[in-house]
Each structure stands twice: as structure tokens, then as C-alpha cells.
Amino acid sequence: MTYDVIIIGAGPCGLSVGIEAQSNQLSHLILDKGTVAESIRQYPLQMKFFSTRENIEIGNIPFAIREPKASREEALTYYRKVAEHYQLNLELQTEVESVAQFSDGLKVQTKCGKNYIGKNVVIATGYFDNPRKLNIPGEELPHVENKYREPYKYAFSRVIIIGGGNSAVETALDLHRNGADVTLLVKENDFKPTAKYWLVPDLNNRIKEGKIKASFNTTATEIEKNLVHTKDAAGQNTSFECDYVLTLIGHTTDTKLLKSCQIKYSEDLIPAYDANTFETNIPNLYVSGTVICGTQTEKVFIENGRLHGKAIINNILNKQAILEA
């Protein structure tokens, strides 16, 4: 069949588009290479959201929890139940390879060989699967990791964390409280202003006490088996001993799918799209959620990305009405 809307990505923003389509009697299909809210599933096990619960609600379904900020597990349960409530049409564990113009609309081709046809396609793939790279020698060594799940693997080990944002701050405290010897290497002269405000004072106090080590204005230049070589703002070279290295420096939009669709994008990896309708330079092909922010990941979150679906579906309905007039 030909769907009115095919959505690539079953995260909160992709689900929001599906809910809008369903609510407006448009046939839809949501594809994801993982499961519902796959990116959230990969978050650290004990993570709590920065946004309060009402700001990450979708589909007018209350996020009914006691605490103001949801845990990873609570969010996974909530988004699954919302998808179930709306009986969204999901095809999971199905990775999309390309989207191409087709006589009846847009053809979505998957890695498993299935093809789907949509009159409209929405890319809502986010960025969590595409960690930023340091682009230094040794980054691919087996003791270097760019995602953090839980602390117990690192107990009684020397762990260097590279980064100064949310992930680095939260991970440093978690590792310290679970028996790791933690050193933070921060490129700037302080932690990022977007870091969780309730955690930064805690971390600063641990640094003052000498329980967590931190080196600011410090850039990693090379990683070896048990050493991280760095350079400071004055050009001085220093090496830090380690057993593990966590490069928690954020994420960027993966342009692989955008390229396959021939969507134009800027040097900052921001796709070309209409700010009112979210339609790209390819007719009837839209972007939604954090995929639109490129390297500027501080600008789009669930709380504003979840609103894109209404604008997209309204644009599709307006086009439909013009064709039928």
C-alpha cells in the first residue's frame, strides 16, 4: 500500500508525528532500526531527564509520575504506553537505507530489503547514534568509549572523562560514588552552562575536596593504552594515566541518510528546511525533532521537537486540500 505518511524514527518526536497523522485520519507507518524510544533506551541506566515531566509529554497523555523529572525507565514505559494507546503502526528493528522520489510518492528502502511507498516522508532520527569524534590518534583503542551506561565496570579503575557538558558531569559523579578514580579533562575554562544546574555545585565541591580531579583549558591530543596526552591553553604538554577513557563530548546529526535523500545541509550539518512547515528541499520530505539541529544540539530537545509534528501534518493536510479542490 501507499501510506499518507511514513515516519523514520520512533523516538518521542517521531511518535508525535504519528499521533498527529493518526488523529487526522492519515494512514501512517513508523520505522525504526531499534525499538520505541531507542535512543532513550541507550541512556545511562540511572539517568534523570533535564526537562520536567510535563515538557516531554506527547499526544496530550499526562506523564503521571510523582517526581518532577522522569527517569530513563519511566520515560521508556511512558512512550511505549502512548504508542500503545494510539495504536500507532510500528515496524521496528527495520533500518532505513535511503529515500528516493518515486512515481507514486517517495520510496523508502530498508537494509533488510523491504520497500515502502509514502506520499510524504518524515525523518525523525535524532542524533544520539552519532557521537562526536575527537579526531586524534588512539581514539579507536578498545579502552576508549563514547557512551556510558553504568558504573560498576569501572570500579577501582582510573577513568579519564573528556568533556564538560551534561554527560561528563553526571558520569563523573556516578563513577566517583562507585569507586572509580576520576579525572575530568575540559576544553573550556568551566563546565558548559547547559550542564544540569543541580549537579554542577556537587561536582565543584568534590573537585575542591580533591575527590575528583579536573583540568580545565585542556585539550586531548593523543590516546595510548594507559595514557592521555594533552595540551593546555599555554601550549604546555601534560600526560594523564588511565585505565579507561570516556569521550563524552556530545553528538551531531548523522548526514548519511540525508545524503541518500539528496537533502541539502549546511557546514553545521543543519538540513535545508522551511522553518514553518519543516519541509526540506525535496518536496514532501520533512525533518522533525533533533535531526534538524546539526552540530547545534543545544537548540532542539524533546520539549520543542515534539511540537514539529503538528506543523508537518497541517502542511500535508493543506496540500491535500488544494489537490482535492
Side-chain angles (χ1 to χ4, degrees):
M1 66 177 288
T2 297
Y3 296 93
D4 291 320
V5 188
I6 294 177
I7 301 141
I8 304 169
C13 299
L15 295 177
S16 295
V17 182
I19 291 166
E20 289 294 331
Q22 180 89 309
S23 301
N24 286 280
Q25 291 76 53
L26 296 176
S27 61
H28 74 281
L29 174 66
I30 302 176
L31 302 169
D32 198 288
K33 67 180 179 182
T35 186
V36 170
E38 175 66 19
S39 292
I40 295 172
R41 190 186 67 78
Q42 296 181 51
Y43 284 177
L45 300 184
Q46 303 304 318
M47 191 215 76
K48 280 196 175 288
F49 277 75
F50 188 98
S51 304
T52 52
R53 56 180 182 252
E54 66 274 9
N55 286 323
I56 58 174
E57 292 175 349
I58 60 173
N60 296 316
I61 303 293
F63 202 145
I65 55 173
R66 186 172 66 86
E67 298 294 330
K69 296 177 188 294
S71 69
R72 164 190 171 274
E73 188 173 348
E74 288 167 333
L76 288 171
T77 301
Y78 171 77
Y79 291 121
R80 179 182 61 79
K81 292 299 288 183
V82 170
E84 190 178 288
H85 171 81
Y86 280 100
Q87 298 182 317
L88 297 178
N89 187 22
L90 299 161
E91 184 82 26
L92 303 174
Q93 311 299 333
T94 304
E95 185 170 356
V96 172
E97 196 164 55
S98 65
V99 180
Q101 289 175 314
F102 191 68
S103 56
D104 295 328
L106 294 165
K107 181 169 76 171
V108 177
Q109 188 165 347
T110 66
K111 286 198 172 179
C112 63
K114 291 182 181 178
N115 294 332
Y116 302 90
I117 306 299
K119 295 176 185 175
N120 304 276
V121 172
V122 182
I123 298 174
T125 49
Y127 54 65
F128 191 72
D129 281 340
N130 196 47
R132 290 177 189 264
K133 297 287 188 181
L134 291 168
N135 297 317
I136 61 173
E139 189 173 8
E140 306 303 325
L141 288 171
H143 70 298
V144 182
E145 302 165 7
N146 51 37
K147 286 185 181 177
Y148 174 73
R149 295 281 283 161
E150 49 86 23
Y152 308 109
K153 170 182 176 179
Y154 310 96
F156 308 113
S157 299
R158 299 165 298 177
V159 182
I160 287 180
I161 299 172
I162 300 174
N166 265 332
S167 297
V169 168
E170 197 159 11
T171 301
L173 288 166
D174 197 27
L175 286 175
H176 159 65
R177 293 197 166 107
N178 285 279
D181 177 1
V182 180
T183 301
L184 274 160
L185 304 181
V186 184
K187 193 175 182 179
E188 292 77 22
N189 61 5
D190 200 353
F191 299 111
K192 289 186 178 179
T194 52
K196 293 177 178 176
Y197 58 85
W198 63 93
L199 293 179
V200 173
D202 185 1
L203 179 56
N204 281 330
N205 286 333
R206 304 295 77 75
I207 292 169
K208 286 176 185 176
E209 293 170 354
K211 293 179 178 177
I212 293 176
K213 298 177 283 293
S215 181
F216 294 95
N217 296 308
T218 301
T219 302
T221 55
E222 184 178 358
I223 301 171
E224 294 183 11
K225 184 178 179 182
N226 296 114
L227 288 173
V228 175
H229 302 291
T230 68
K231 183 178 288 187
D232 65 17
Q236 294 287 335
N237 296 315
T238 308
S239 296
F240 295 84
E241 294 183 343
C242 64
D243 299 303
Y244 294 99
V245 180
L246 296 175
T247 60
L248 305 179
I249 55 174
H251 306 80
T252 62
T253 296
D254 187 351
T255 58
K256 194 166 23 180
L257 183 56
L258 300 181
K259 282 180 182 176
S260 77
C261 306
Q262 299 185 344
I263 295 174
K264 296 176 181 176
Y265 55 89
S266 69
E267 289 183 3
D268 290 335
L269 310 184
I270 298 171
Y273 69 95
D274 185 299
N276 295 312
T277 65
F278 298 94
E279 188 172 17
T280 68
N281 58 288
I282 306 299
N284 307 319
L285 181 55
Y286 298 80
V287 284
S288 175
T290 53
V291 72
I292 73 172
C293 61
T295 61
Q296 300 174 15
T297 52
E298 71 283 354
K299 293 190 174 181
V300 184
F301 309 94
I302 294 173
E303 54 187 86
N304 53 5
R306 65 184 176 150
L307 307 176
H308 299 167
K310 187 176 286 293
I312 291 168
I313 297 303
N314 282 343
N315 185 249
I316 290 170
L317 291 171
N318 289 338
K319 285 184 176 183
Q320 199 176 71
I322 291 168
L323 287 173
E324 291 171 357

